Amino acid sequence: MSKAAKAKAQIVRLLIGAGKAAPTPPVGPALGARGVKSMDFCKEFNAKTANVEVGVPIPTLITVQPDRTFTFVTKTPPVSYFLKQTTGLEKGPAKPGHETLATISLKHVYEISKIKATDDQMKHLPLESIARMIVGSARSLGIQVVP
Amino acid sequence: MSFLHVARRSPRVLVATSRSFASTSRAASQVKASADAVVKKQASQASIPKSSCPQDTVMKGLNYLKGQPQVLALADDQYPEWLWTILSPKEYPDDGPGGKADRVRRKRERQQAIKDKNFMSTQ
């Protein structure tokens, strides 16, 4: 999201439901302000996320070049989404770190860390480190991790 | 050396003469071997605590790709050993004054000292 006087590639970070791009409120103005035709992006995005279940939030990083062409990178869904799905939670706690809303097993943490390890920015990390990150995220969501 | 040899041999000889039946000495060694096996099994089971998630539990939501089968929990011993240690802070083996354990400890102390100083400045 850098704005420069000179022509520079601008980066837009969005969280879009898979296969559900195109609506005006979230995607349209964010891209339109940078001069990107939102229909083009939506078609490409939906094509790229065709193998993902509809509605799963996908973090995307869109790089808009000065000549209005764009490239985008999709990542794995957020850890909080996986944790909420596994425990059936709708919302996080009102007081993070002070409430316990649900319990999860270390086996769940292992499976989630296997999914996150396929991400580009996690590829160099050992699986143990990723698992420890997920335990920390669970704490913020009010989810207690037991063996 | 030969003296030690004799000294080592004599208790065994005494034991052999006190239990004059060959079958009992073999049974004794068998009992000892099975006791060893039980102790080893208990030790390995203690290092993997009994998981609250039994085998073949369905994990909802982790099959986020289309057509992906449900993710099931595996047996306890099919997970790597480090998984059972991640709930407690990571312990580094102590390797001298400049080693990793030292640096981690110093960093934690330094951060705590900063937090204490910042808190005291508000009092």
Side-chain angles (χ1 to χ4, degrees):
Chain A
M1 280 191 264
S2 58
K3 281 193 181 165
K6 286 192 300 180
K8 223 177 172 187
Q10 293 189 355
I11 298 176
V12 183
R13 288 180 63 207
L14 289 172
L15 191 68
I16 315 173
K20 274 191 181 178
T24 340
V27 175
L31 288 179
R34 312 272 193 294
V36 173
K37 304 253 183 321
S38 43
M39 273 319 294
D40 293 344
F41 167 72
C42 295
K43 283 204 193 97
E44 281 191 40
F45 178 80
N46 290 335
K48 195 152 188 199
T49 57
N51 62 332
V52 181
E53 292 272 344
V54 175
V56 172
I58 304 276
T60 56
L61 194 73
I62 308 160
T63 312
V64 185
Q65 304 297 332
D67 58 352
R68 306 235 177 134
T69 57
F70 64 92
T71 52
F72 66 95
V73 178
T74 58
K75 309 174 192 175
T76 49
V79 169
S80 59
Y81 168 77
F82 284 127
L83 288 172
K84 282 188 209 162
Q85 285 286 302
T86 321
T87 54
L89 281 176
E90 285 288 331
K91 279 187 156 184
K95 277 190 180 174
H98 293 270
E99 291 178 359
T100 305
L101 301 177
T103 311
I104 216 173
S105 165
L106 280 178
K107 297 186 179 180
H108 293 91
V109 169
Y110 181 77
E111 295 295 335
I112 297 173
S113 57
K114 263 171 53 181
I115 297 174
K116 294 304 286 185
T118 59
D119 226 353
D120 271 339
Q121 59 258 40
M122 300 272 206
K123 277 210 169 103
H124 68 287
L125 292 174
L127 207 54
E128 181 180 354
S129 301
I130 300 176
R132 283 177 181 265
M133 285 183 198
I134 292 167
V135 170
S137 300
R139 186 174 171 269
S140 301
L141 273 178
I143 296 174
Q144 191 188 14
V145 183
V146 292
Chain B
M1 278 289 254
S2 57
F3 187 67
L4 281 171
H5 223 47
V6 168
R8 222 192 315 144
R9 213 190 299 155
S10 40
R12 225 185 291 160
V13 167
L14 286 170
V15 162
T17 50
S18 63
R19 300 184 203 160
S20 50
F21 298 102
S23 58
T24 46
S25 64
R26 213 180 299 141
S29 65
Q30 273 176 354
V31 164
K32 188 167 185 299
S34 61
D36 276 345
V38 165
V39 163
K40 217 187 264 185
K41 197 176 171 199
Q42 278 175 352
S44 68
Q45 275 179 350
S47 63
I48 304 174
K50 193 131 184 293
S51 179
S52 63
C53 185
Q55 196 175 355
D56 293 335
T57 319
V58 171
M59 298 193 195
K60 274 176 45 188
L62 299 186
N63 49 337
Y64 71 103
L65 296 174
K66 268 188 195 155
Q68 191 183 358
Q70 296 222 318
V71 180
L72 298 175
L74 307 169
D76 284 3
D77 51 2
Q78 291 185 7
Y79 289 99
E81 282 295 326
W82 51 258
L83 185 64
W84 312 106
T85 63
I86 62 174
L87 289 178
S88 51
K90 206 166 184 180
E91 286 169 16
Y92 297 94
D94 192 18
D95 39 335
K100 177 99 191 202
D102 201 34
R103 275 182 276 137
V104 164
R105 184 182 46 85
R106 278 179 199 271
K107 182 176 183 183
R108 224 177 288 149
E109 287 170 2
R110 195 166 56 230
Q111 288 176 335
Q112 192 57 43
I114 292 169
K115 285 179 184 166
D116 292 342
K117 191 176 176 188
N118 287 342
F119 173 72
M120 290 313 292
S121 69
T122 65
Q123 300 298 310

